[in-house]
Amino acid sequence: MYFCNVFALIDCNSFYASCERVFRPDLRNKPVVVLSNNDGCVIARSNEAKVLGIPMGAVAYQYKQLFVKHNVHVFSCNFALYGDMSNRVMNILSHYSPDVEIYSIDEAFLQFKGFENYDLNAYALEMSRKVNKWTGIPVCVGVAPTKALSKIANRIAKKFPERTKGVYVMDTEEKRIKALKWIKIEDVWGIGRKISDKLKLKKIYNAYQFTQLPPEWVKSEFSIVGLRLQRELKGIPTLELDEVKTKKAIATTRSFKNNLTNINDIKERISTYAALGAEKLRGQSTCANVILVFIQTNRHRQDQKQHYQKIIVKLPYPTNSSITISKYAKLGLQRIYKKGYAYKKGGVIMMGLVPENERQLNMFCDENPKHLNLMKTIDHLNNKLGHRNIRLASQAMGRTWKMRQEKLSPRYTTEINDIIQVK
């Protein structure tokens, strides 16, 4: 039995670790972990690393001896590489269906309309093999009549790779019920710890038991969202693919390299964050009406005085000019800064976003028309030269924010100097 309208969830296996292995074939079948920003904790593990008992979120320095003992290959996060490899995977998937929702950096939903005459298992296997062949990234595919069920089908494909070959098609009622009875309620997509704990009090331990609850009770306890999930698990398509939407807010926040007490040092950081945020606005052709500026001390240092403050600044007109946004961000900082505190983090959040070509003009004051062409020129030069060489005067020219990445791999696909050389 094959459906005429189904969903597929494609999930890259141990994605970050797999990206590192693409260019290091000597690491296949060996334990690999990838660390978070500043090499803090484990955010990705190969199957071999999982077998060693390394948990997700493991603090790196606490597991250092285990890494050495078992020859675990440790990498700093290389988001330039991961982002580019993700784009390659998604581009390949788009050849198999025009209806694609990129759910995360390593996951995508595909919708197959009018595929009633296709052998979906063979089609999914072909898709999986092509992604692996063209990128070196292994994937699992779950196919089912709804998005929620495709998540469960994908989980089955990943859990039993020898039997499924990385692909599972939930194409019968018998398979649906068997899968729902197999998956624990806390593992169902969209059900968090609080909801699962509440359901367990009613002796609901798996997804099938959840589908047997009265819809009226589900709606009253978990709102319309819970009811939609229940319908999805019953095999009733309720959730459609999400369209790509413009972000409703853009945040640029960073921890300072050192504790900062001087307002001029903090101004430089806030100016830089404002400029980065403005650049992101221009990248999606939007303008901000409002910005939020915040600063805070190191909450982990209880031996120091603590202070956190934020302020919302209304801009005189919608803008994506780095000059204008930086100016008002620094004015906001002056109002919330307090002398005598050692600040560790700050940020600027762009809010009230509107399309660049639909912004409301101000009768009494408007942006200098030269800003538009100036920003275009700056963006063009920075894209060409790299490393944001063109900056505002309020930004320190020789200063960059850099994570601690002691085990960073080369950016094989995005940096010309890191391209593999064949000898």
Side-chain angles (χ1 to χ4, degrees), residues 181-353:
K181 289 181 177 179
W182 170 75
I183 192 164
K184 296 177 182 178
I185 190 64
E186 62 266 26
D187 293 332
V188 174
W189 180 46
I191 292 184
R193 181 181 297 176
K194 289 184 179 180
I195 295 178
S196 65
D197 288 345
K198 192 171 186 178
L199 288 170
K200 286 177 182 178
L201 291 175
K202 290 186 65 68
K203 298 183 178 180
I204 304 299
Y205 301 109
N206 61 46
Y208 179 75
Q209 292 173 325
F210 177 70
T211 62
Q212 302 307 298
L213 290 170
E216 300 79 11
W217 184 86
V218 173
K219 184 178 180 180
S220 65
E221 291 294 323
F222 308 116
S223 77
I224 190 67
V225 176
L227 183 61
R228 287 173 182 162
L229 176 59
Q230 188 190 51
R231 287 171 59 85
E232 284 267 314
L233 294 175
K234 288 180 177 179
I236 305 170
T238 307
L239 303 175
E240 297 296 327
L241 295 183
D242 290 338
E243 297 180 359
V244 178
K245 298 179 181 178
T246 300
K247 292 181 179 179
K248 295 182 179 180
I250 291 178
T252 305
T253 66
R254 300 281 192 275
S255 293
F256 307 141
K257 185 177 181 179
N258 302 307
N259 289 337
L260 301 180
T261 57
N262 189 299
I263 189 172
N264 291 324
D265 292 332
I266 303 174
K267 272 186 180 180
E268 188 279 328
R269 292 289 80 197
I270 293 298
S271 177
T272 296
Y273 303 158
L276 289 173
E279 182 182 323
K280 294 176 184 177
L281 287 174
R282 298 193 294 272
Q284 66 173 32
S285 300
T286 56
C287 294
N289 278 292
V290 178
I291 60 173
L292 182 149
V293 182
F294 78 89
I295 48 174
Q296 69 180 64
T297 52
N298 189 342
R299 58 189 177 87
H300 299 292
R301 290 291 303 273
Q302 296 302 316
D303 58 317
Q304 297 179 351
K305 293 190 298 180
Q306 298 294 311
H307 181 239
Y308 169 81
Q309 189 60 269
K310 63 182 178 181
I311 186 171
I312 293 177
V313 181
K314 177 76 171 68
L315 301 174
Y317 37 75
T319 181
N320 56 23
S321 166
S322 298
I323 298 172
T324 304
I325 293 176
S326 176
K327 171 186 174 183
Y328 284 93
K330 289 186 291 182
L331 289 174
L333 172 65
Q334 287 180 322
R335 296 182 61 181
I336 61 176
Y337 168 80
K338 281 190 176 182
K339 192 174 182 180
Y341 289 90
Y343 293 98
K344 185 60 178 174
K345 188 175 183 179
V348 180
I349 303 174
M350 316 288 161
M351 302 188 299
L353 307 190

Side-chain angles (χ1 to χ4, degrees), residues 127-172:
M127 182 165 53
S128 171
R129 288 167 183 159
K130 182 162 285 188
V131 170
N132 198 341
K133 183 178 180 180
W134 287 13
T135 67
I137 302 293
V139 301
C140 285
V141 184
V143 181
T146 71
K147 288 177 74 175
L149 288 175
S150 72
K151 269 276 191 180
I152 297 175
N154 183 280
R155 195 179 186 93
I156 294 171
K158 187 172 288 188
K159 182 71 174 179
F160 307 103
E162 294 182 359
R163 273 190 272 172
T164 64
K165 297 181 181 178
V167 170
Y168 187 76
V169 179
M170 195 183 294
D171 52 4
T172 67

Side-chain angles (χ1 to χ4, degrees), residues 15-30:
F15 181 59
Y16 292 172
S18 294
C19 288
E20 299 292 351
R21 281 174 162 170
V22 169
F23 303 95
R24 289 284 307 277
D26 59 303
L27 297 182
R28 290 174 186 169
N29 301 319
K30 294 181 180 179

